[in-house]
Amino acid sequence: MNHAENLPPTLYDRVHAAAQAVRERTDFVPHVGLILGSGLGGFADGFAKSVAIDYGDIPHFPQSHVVGHKGRLVLGERGGACCVAMQGRVHMYEGHSAATAAFPARVLVALGAKVIIVTNAAGGLNPLWAPGTLMLIRDHIDLLRDHALRGPNDERLGPRFPDMTKAYSPELRTLAKHAASGAGVSLEEGVYVAMPGPTYETPAEVKMLQGLGADATGMSTVPEVCVARHMGARVIGISCITNQAAGITGQELSHDEVTETASRVRKTFESLLDAILGALVAKKELGAS
Ligand code: HPA
């Protein structure tokens, strides 16, 4: 702890103060952290032996204001996995820095999560994918104008220059693909590109992103993945393609379409998450029991 007077707490101190506040509410130790994107928050309502903590009760936690995002941390068991889930996240377009948007993910890792499963709603850049397609993230392209690791580095959290060759764990991608086929859920795989938002992309930007080799575009995820990797957790990312990106069909985009598709696909998405949790437990990928 930083005891010097007048010095603001360091990032390390803030992460550990937040984790400590959670530990004061429960001695449950999670091994997997879930960041539940638009429409998926309900997944944590199915946790057994659960404890829910409002973000407002956790020191230094940013608050989310997006409709449909609850803003609480839920700890509990699902499919034999000890989980901590974020019901709601903050986005950079709300005015937060990338580091602030990613802060909760750091707390998930500090609480014990060895694997972070991050989900999101995204626009499809691949014209062959209909809305409702689920995409396993193979890699990402960061076009956000801020980085979650910008600023002084604290070696206690992780290295100055984290490697991103395997940002989305190849072993866990294989596991997720097997879990999906076992559960009868079709799962595409591709590259996610993060854009700052909050406007959706222009058709010209969509063409550029397609040219860059991206398959899905969204406004979240990358800051959280960067801090999870910084802290040594392994990551699985899954996008729900809620709409075809701007200009592909000529139809205008709306947040209503995004939430409608997300809720239509929710049950399938939840079966996929259950299958992945089951496989993580069966394959002993979560470290301690
Ligand atoms: N673009 C960016 N973010 C999104 C989209 C999109 O088309 N759909 C859902 N989130």
Side-chain angles (χ1 to χ4, degrees):
M1 276 302 213
N2 193 341
H3 293 296
E5 263 180 66
N6 299 326
L7 279 182
T10 65
L11 175 62
Y12 181 91
D13 292 339
R14 284 181 278 129
V15 169
H16 286 279
Q20 187 53 33
V22 173
R23 283 194 208 102
E24 278 161 18
R25 299 278 291 266
T26 172
D27 55 9
F28 184 88
V29 178
H31 299 136
V32 52
L34 294 119
I35 303 174
L36 301 170
S38 306
L40 255 195
F43 185 71
D45 295 334
F47 286 3
K49 305 179 200 160
S50 71
V51 174
I53 307 172
D54 288 341
Y55 291 165
D57 294 336
I58 308 173
H60 312 295
F61 237 66
Q63 307 289 309
S64 83
H65 305 292
V66 178
V67 180
H69 288 242
K70 268 187 177 167
R72 19 178 247 168
L73 209 60
V74 186
L75 297 99
E77 282 180 25
R78 180 125 184 179
C82 298
C83 300
V84 54
M86 284 168 57
Q87 279 185 326
R89 57 145 71 95
V90 301
H91 299 82
M92 282 177 58
Y93 60 72
E94 295 174 69
H96 301 289
S97 68
T100 300
F103 180 86
R106 288 199 179 277
V107 178
L108 303 188
V109 181
L111 285 168
K114 310 266 183 298
V115 172
I116 297 290
I117 303 178
V118 55
T119 68
N120 59 50
L125 296 166
N126 183 332
L128 300 176
W129 294 350
T133 299
L134 296 177
M135 183 192 91
L136 184 65
I137 305 179
R138 183 174 61 239
D139 203 349
H140 73 222
I141 298 173
D142 183 0
L143 295 184
L144 299 170
R145 267 75 121 182
D146 185 18
H147 196 286
L149 305 184
R150 219 164 93 92
N153 186 60
D154 191 324
E155 292 283 332
R156 292 172 294 179
L157 292 169
R160 173 71 288 186
F161 300 111
D163 177 55
M164 294 293 272
T165 311
K166 296 176 178 173
Y168 300 83
S169 160
E171 296 78 29
L172 297 185
R173 280 193 281 124
T174 301
L175 174 145
K177 286 183 256 184
H178 285 141
S181 64
V185 173
S186 50
L187 184 61
E188 301 289 349
E189 190 172 24
V191 173
Y192 175 89
V193 57
M195 293 288 278
T199 52
Y200 293 113
E201 297 71 26
T202 64
E205 287 167 340
V206 165
K207 279 199 192 129
M208 172 189 78
L209 300 175
Q210 289 168 325
L212 292 178
D215 299 287
T217 173
M219 306 172 195
S220 65
T221 300
V222 164
E224 293 129 319
V225 171
C226 290
V227 302
R229 294 301 299 138
H230 185 231
M231 295 176 76
R234 291 190 294 164
V235 173
I236 299 174
I238 307 165
S239 294
C240 173
I241 307 294
T242 51
N243 56 283
Q244 293 196 299
I248 294 183
T249 65
Q251 205 188 310
E252 291 180 21
L253 270 47
S254 75
H255 185 57
D256 285 349
E257 181 189 4
V258 169
T259 53
E260 274 160 31
T261 309
S263 51
R264 175 165 63 77
V265 180
R266 186 172 63 91
K267 286 237 147 41
T268 310
F269 208 150
E270 291 192 354
S271 349
L272 174 60
L273 291 178
D274 276 328
I276 292 173
L277 289 176
L280 287 170
V281 171
K283 294 226 147 76
K284 302 193 170 32
E285 291 283 0
L286 300 173
S289 64

